[in-house]
Amino acid sequence: MPRVILGVCGGIAAYKSVELLRLLTQSGHDVHVVPTANALRFVGKPTFEALSGNPVGTSLWDGAGAVTHVAEGIGADLVVIAPTTADFLARVTHGIASDLLSNILLTATAPVVLAPAMHTQMWEHPATRTNVDVLRKRGYIVLDPDTGPLTGADIGRGRLPSPTQIADCVEAQFNANTGALLGKHVVISAGGTQEEWDPVRFIGNRSSGKQGVALARAALAAGAKVTLVAGHMDIDPPAGVETIHALSGEQMHKALVAVLDEQPDFVIMAAAVADFRPTTTSANKIKKALGTQNLELEQTTDILADLCGRRTPGVGPIMIGFAAETTANINELVSLAQGKLTSKGADLIIANNVNHGAIFGSEETEIHMVEDENFIGPIKGSKLDVAHAVVHRLSAMLKGVDFTAPSGT
Ligand code: CTP
């Protein structure tokens, strides 16, 4: 039974958390309510205890021997905080651990859903905007408040979304993959590499790291241990993954070869690795006065092909690559991906069309999964939706299940 922490902050919308609690328990979740001290001014502890069937923790000093905040945070499959006040958003952004709920958030590695509710002016204040941006970048799901009547006579954006909407968002985090990769180790490379030319210049690419991070989140949600080998990324790695930074292709290659010793179950090469790097790197800045420069490039190691070649036949890891192609023609896309599958010796290739910079940096994507002569797709949606579909296929590969369309796409 998934264990959900329902945090409740001290805002007038706290009364709606009771309805949310009902919906979550009806869906079969084991809900542990953690109200802040101010939330208890709006709703009484017995209400939460009666409806959740669990004792309600309110203080860091209850059951200190059991180190409740650590146990609750680590043991949670999901944390949802509804309502989240402006004050709580600010505290979470800065890692301030001043009560039981904020301590739990610092130890939780599960998905976190925040449902803010406050007056329009507070929601629109630059401080709150910045806090929301930082938290979203950190991988938290921050719902936008609804527009409508607020506590007083005012009307505007700031209402808590309906308990049904929040419950739907929680359910979307639990999917067919829950527990599917329990005890498995997934290594994911993400982001773009940077190949140095001189101390200030490099050859880079448009990769944002978003797809790799989405895969990391989906694998974590499926119960896997995740190692992220990160090149340059526009977003932070999610909480709960081990991150190894590797900026150049060579560094990424070294890091991945080293991590193979840990005998992971899967390696997913989501990184955009440079195919070429400057033949020579200047120790000093190349001065403008030198005039026209000819930059000679040499080929880099194909990391995916090299890692596949290092495998003992029949022994893991299962190797997954991407194919970034510039064609919208599906037959051509699949055929190029099949070529990469064979030339690199991988088990699965995820193909996408990156024509005109599409996909890079965007929130949405569209992929085809290619294995042997078969392919499935298009699978469209947010990068996280697509990542869940990939993880679904990974767990099926472990069981030797035929290559059929993953559910929920
Ligand atoms: N890849 C790699 N090492 C490289 C280049 C690419 O491991 N030096 C991996 C990528 O991470 C991806 C897969 O190989 O998983 C395919 O990358 P892609 O850029 O689509 O193709 P390339 O192999 O670079 O071939 P081409 O540029 O001809 O399309």
Side-chain angles (χ1 to χ4, degrees):
M1 192 189 261
R3 193 181 168 96
V4 173
I5 303 274
L6 170 58
V8 183
C9 298
I12 189 70
Y15 75 95
K16 294 189 189 168
S17 66
V18 176
E19 178 64 19
L20 177 61
L21 170 57
R22 259 259 189 266
L23 293 170
L24 294 176
T25 52
Q26 280 166 0
S27 301
H29 301 302
D30 176 24
V31 187
H32 293 250
V33 185
V34 184
T36 61
N38 283 337
L40 293 175
R41 292 171 183 253
F42 293 95
V43 182
K45 186 169 159 178
T47 307
F48 292 133
E49 285 190 332
L51 292 177
S52 68
N54 283 316
V56 167
T58 54
S59 159
L60 271 171
W61 309 106
D62 293 339
V67 201
T68 314
H69 61 290
V70 179
E72 289 285 5
I74 291 174
D77 294 303
L78 184 133
V79 181
V80 51
I81 303 186
T84 307
T85 54
D87 169 70
F88 198 79
L89 277 178
R91 282 198 277 143
V92 183
T93 305
H94 295 284
I96 293 170
S98 47
D99 58 8
L100 182 57
L101 187 56
S102 48
N103 271 271
I104 287 174
L105 267 190
L106 280 188
T107 57
T109 55
V112 175
V113 177
L114 302 177
M118 61 197 73
H119 282 278
T120 311
Q121 292 80 355
M122 296 168 81
W123 174 250
E124 287 175 352
H125 193 281
T128 307
R129 307 298 337 125
T130 305
N131 293 338
V132 170
D133 286 349
V134 169
L135 291 171
R136 284 183 173 155
K137 203 167 157 240
R138 208 178 277 164
Y140 286 19
I141 298 149
V142 185
L143 302 179
D144 279 325
D146 273 352
T147 303
L150 302 171
T151 321
D154 45 345
I155 294 178
R157 183 170 290 283
R159 277 169 67 88
L160 187 71
S162 74
T164 321
Q165 281 175 309
I166 302 171
D168 282 350
C169 177
V170 168
E171 295 313 328
Q173 305 309 308
F174 294 108
N175 50 65
N177 297 327
T178 304
L181 295 183
L182 208 59
K184 304 296 172 196
H185 182 188
V186 182
V187 176
I188 301 167
S189 70
T193 60
Q194 296 183 346
E195 307 301 328
E196 196 176 313
W197 181 28
D198 75 7
V200 292
R201 303 180 180 99
F202 58 81
I203 295 182
N205 58 66
R206 294 178 194 273
S207 176
S208 63
K210 286 182 183 171
Q211 186 63 74
V213 165
L215 282 162
R217 287 173 58 197
L220 274 179
K225 169 186 163 183
V226 179
T227 304
L228 193 72
V229 179
H232 169 79
M233 305 206 303
D234 294 340
I235 55 169
D236 294 333
V241 305
E242 181 205 10
T243 303
I244 302 167
H245 294 281
L247 218 44
S248 69
E250 197 179 346
Q251 287 165 355
M252 190 170 275
H253 186 205
K254 259 194 201 147
L256 284 160
V257 168
V259 94
L260 275 191
D261 287 345
E262 296 175 25
Q263 301 186 321
D265 299 280
F266 298 95
V267 176
I268 308 178
M269 281 297 300
V273 185
D275 289 322
F276 307 99
R277 66 173 170 222
T279 309
T280 53
T281 304
S282 168
N284 298 314
K285 186 181 176 198
I286 298 165
K287 301 299 281 179
K288 185 165 55 185
L290 289 173
T292 304
Q293 296 289 305
N294 289 318
L295 179 58
E296 191 180 80
L297 303 174
E298 64 184 9
Q299 225 161 353
T300 59
T301 305
D302 187 315
I303 303 175
L304 179 58
D306 177 74
L307 298 182
C308 289
R310 288 171 189 261
R311 291 189 293 182
T312 312
V315 183
I318 293 173
M319 303 288 310
I320 298 100
F322 273 72
E325 308 296 352
T326 46
T327 173
N329 179 304
I330 290 179
N331 290 335
E332 202 182 333
L333 181 70
V334 169
S335 142
L336 287 166
Q338 275 161 343
K340 284 182 183 169
L341 196 66
T342 316
S343 66
K344 294 174 192 256
D347 303 298
L348 170 69
I349 291 282
I350 300 162
N352 43 30
N353 170 19
V354 295
N355 218 350
H356 304 302
I359 311 293
F360 288 119
S362 80
E363 301 304 325
E364 301 289 309
T365 190
E366 175 178 323
I367 63 159
H368 286 76
M369 285 197 258
V370 182
E371 245 176 80
D372 302 326
E373 274 84 60
N374 303 315
F375 74 91
I376 53 172
I379 301 169
K380 296 180 190 185
S382 72
K383 288 187 172 172
L384 189 58
D385 292 337
V386 165
H388 284 309
V390 171
V391 166
H392 187 272
R393 180 61 203 145
L394 300 191
S395 75
M397 287 170 99
L398 278 180
K399 297 181 204 138
V401 174
D402 273 352
F403 194 42
T404 49
S407 61
T409 57

